[in-house]
Amino acid sequence: MEWTESQVEQVLRILHEEVVPAQGCTEPIAIAFAAAKAREVIPDEEIIKVVINVSGNIIKNVKSVVVPNSGGMVGIEVSAVMGFMFGDASRDLLVINDITPEQMAQVHAFMEAATIEVVHVDTPEKLYIEVELYSEKRCGSVEVKHFHTNITKIKRDKGILVSQPCNDKVFNTPEEDRSILSIALIYGLAKAISLEKIEPLMSQVIILNSKIAHEGLSGNYGINIGKVIRDQIENGFYGDDIRNRAASFAAAGSDARMSGSSSPVMTTSGSGNQGMTASLALIKYAAFRKHDKEALVRALFFSHLATVHIKTNVGRLSAYCGVICAAAAVSGALCFIDGYDLDVVSHAIANTLGDVSGIICDGAKASCAMKISTTVTVAFDAYVLATHGEYMHGGEGIIATDIEQTLAHVGKLAGDGMKETDNVILDIMSHNYRGK
């Protein structure tokens, strides 16, 4: 497959837009980011009231995860208050990275004294946040749509300071068009692209995501699925093989991230869990096979871009669990790093999607780590099948004869097919939401 230099640069811009550092689950951090930006609108006012308008999927992904540096707190309200009181919006998804316990004492005091409202907005946007800050006389607000740091409107009092058009497709950001991507293009570029263009970013992925995985294995986070799998390997209940080791390593990162670790991770398609799934199993596998650094970097490039491509069809937030997309990309990347051709890579991806596409997203929470361990295990099964000439055939279920058509089917399943599923999940979860 041929490509131009301008296409290569476009793909690299997509990669750098989508693979970025973030601390904690990205939805509460996006609320903190919007709140920090809203504070910049009325910086000298004493805030007495906060209103957080959010879509149902934001509620779903914020209500049960621990906010980093919060001292174990969860929820929409604390995310917003931490953001506007002490956040640094210039750091994007690291907005509350430097908040101290002393500052958290002030956050607690504000939350006890002020009025804080959470409003579930009936909006077609899956990712929608508007934070309004009120003083006695003034109001500042910031609206974010579609993309965690994509500001679409800024208002002061009744005046609109910024109003920028936003592509209202389900997923696309206002930046690079993802329609250029295909599995064939990603495969070809992963083999041929100059290493110096991708190694710095992929090295950051290796360092940050490995660090939080080791933290999950050594600490006590969430349901500890990563650590439990490792312990069961060591006591002989599970076999000591690369599939189980990779599932443990990947899940451990999520254990730590979803339960309050302040360690940043490299996200993919707006999700740290997707970023860790797309990378940690490969990092463990490359060490097992003794692949060199270049082979790992190129495989990670494939895995992260394939995750972006698959997730583009699904949408930013959905009832379709996003780590399925990353696990499918991993199955292809396992084939890639071992030197298999595009057909085998494509079959491995389809095998994964044909197996676990029924897993729902019922919100960000500690047990997301278990979905990572499940899908990573499936990714290895899909890899083994594809490399032995076994694969799901076109016309069977959602699988098509062409990998791009299969991805389109997955997108239709996640969008049209699971729309009502999403509504039911949100209804169940909204009755469980306790607020501050």
Side-chain angles (χ1 to χ4, degrees), residues 52-197:
I52 310 124
N53 303 290
V54 286
S55 59
N57 274 270
I58 292 295
I59 293 174
K60 182 173 80 170
N61 282 352
V62 179
K63 68 177 290 291
S64 298
V65 290
V66 177
V67 182
N69 299 321
S70 69
M73 298 182 70
V74 300
I76 293 168
E77 296 92 333
V78 69
S79 303
V81 175
M82 290 172 70
F84 97 77
M85 289 188 73
F86 300 111
D88 179 358
S90 69
R91 301 193 66 188
D92 292 336
L93 296 179
L94 297 174
V95 57
I96 57 172
N97 186 66
D98 298 325
I99 290 182
T100 65
E102 291 74 22
Q103 289 172 327
M104 277 307 300
Q106 297 178 57
V107 168
H108 283 285
F110 178 89
M111 294 180 69
E112 289 294 326
T115 299
I116 306 174
E117 297 177 7
V118 175
V119 179
H120 179 185
V121 180
D122 185 11
T123 174
E125 290 88 10
K126 299 289 188 182
L127 196 164
Y128 179 87
I129 301 165
E130 182 187 35
V131 178
E132 302 170 324
L133 303 180
Y134 292 88
S135 69
E136 289 285 356
K137 297 180 179 180
R138 312 212 71 177
C139 173
S141 69
V142 167
E143 176 189 79
V144 170
K145 288 183 181 181
H146 298 302
F147 187 56
H148 292 83
T149 56
N150 181 43
I151 295 173
T152 51
K153 189 174 292 183
I154 299 176
K155 295 191 294 185
R156 180 187 294 125
D157 302 328
K158 295 183 179 181
I160 297 176
L161 305 182
V162 172
S163 181
Q164 55 186 10
C166 181
N167 187 339
D168 284 332
K169 294 180 181 178
V170 171
F171 178 83
N172 284 351
T173 77
E175 288 90 12
E176 295 300 324
D177 181 5
R178 273 80 173 133
S179 65
I180 188 177
L181 296 178
S182 68
I183 297 301
L185 174 65
I186 295 166
Y187 178 90
L189 281 177
K191 282 191 168 297
I193 196 167
S194 171
L195 191 66
E196 66 184 15
K197 292 186 176 183

Side-chain angles (χ1 to χ4, degrees), residues 24-25 64-74 212 215-216 219-225 251-263 273 276 364-369:
C25 179
S64 298
V65 290
V66 177
V67 182
N69 299 321
S70 69
M73 298 182 70
V74 300
I212 200 169
E215 183 178 342
N220 184 27
Y221 290 101
I223 60 173
N224 288 309
I225 182 66
S254 182
D255 281 326
R257 174 178 175 265
M258 306 305 281
S259 298
S261 169
S262 60
S263 296
N273 281 340
M276 289 184 293
K365 56 199 178 304
S367 60
C368 289

Side-chain angles (χ1 to χ4, degrees), residues 10-11 13-19 147 167 169 171-182 185-186 269-270 305 308-313 316 404:
Q10 183 180 355
V11 169
R13 287 193 295 272
I14 293 170
L15 186 69
H16 282 273
E17 286 173 8
E18 295 287 15
V19 182
F147 187 56
N167 187 339
K169 294 180 181 178
F171 178 83
N172 284 351
T173 77
E175 288 90 12
E176 295 300 324
D177 181 5
R178 273 80 173 133
S179 65
I180 188 177
L181 296 178
S182 68
L185 174 65
I186 295 166
S269 296
L305 269 180
V308 170
H309 180 43
I310 300 167
K311 195 65 164 62
T312 298
N313 290 277
R316 204 62 154 188
E404 298 303 325

Side-chain angles (χ1 to χ4, degrees), residues 345-371:
V345 167
S346 299
H347 286 316
I349 292 170
N351 283 347
T352 303
L353 295 173
D355 187 355
V356 289
S357 281
I359 296 178
I360 61 168
C361 173
D362 55 340
K365 56 199 178 304
S367 60
C368 289
M370 195 166 186
K371 294 179 181 181

Side-chain angles (χ1 to χ4, degrees), residues 183 302 310 324-336 340-356 375 378-392 399 403 406-407:
I183 297 301
F302 176 92
I310 300 167
I324 301 167
C325 303
V330 167
S331 63
L334 291 170
C335 298
F336 174 90
Y340 289 95
D341 64 22
L342 177 61
D343 282 344
V344 174
V345 167
S346 299
H347 286 316
I349 292 170
N351 283 347
T352 303
L353 295 173
D355 187 355
V356 289
T375 55
V378 168
F380 275 84
D381 291 345
Y383 156 82
V384 169
L385 285 171
T387 57
H388 285 75
E390 304 291 347
Y391 53 86
M392 298 182 185
I399 302 302
I403 186 60
T406 296
L407 300 190

Side-chain angles (χ1 to χ4, degrees), residues 36-50:
K37 293 297 291 187
R39 183 54 166 163
E40 293 176 1
V41 179
I42 49 172
D44 299 322
E45 298 292 313
E46 181 181 350
I47 305 303
I48 60 172
K49 180 181 177 180
V50 182

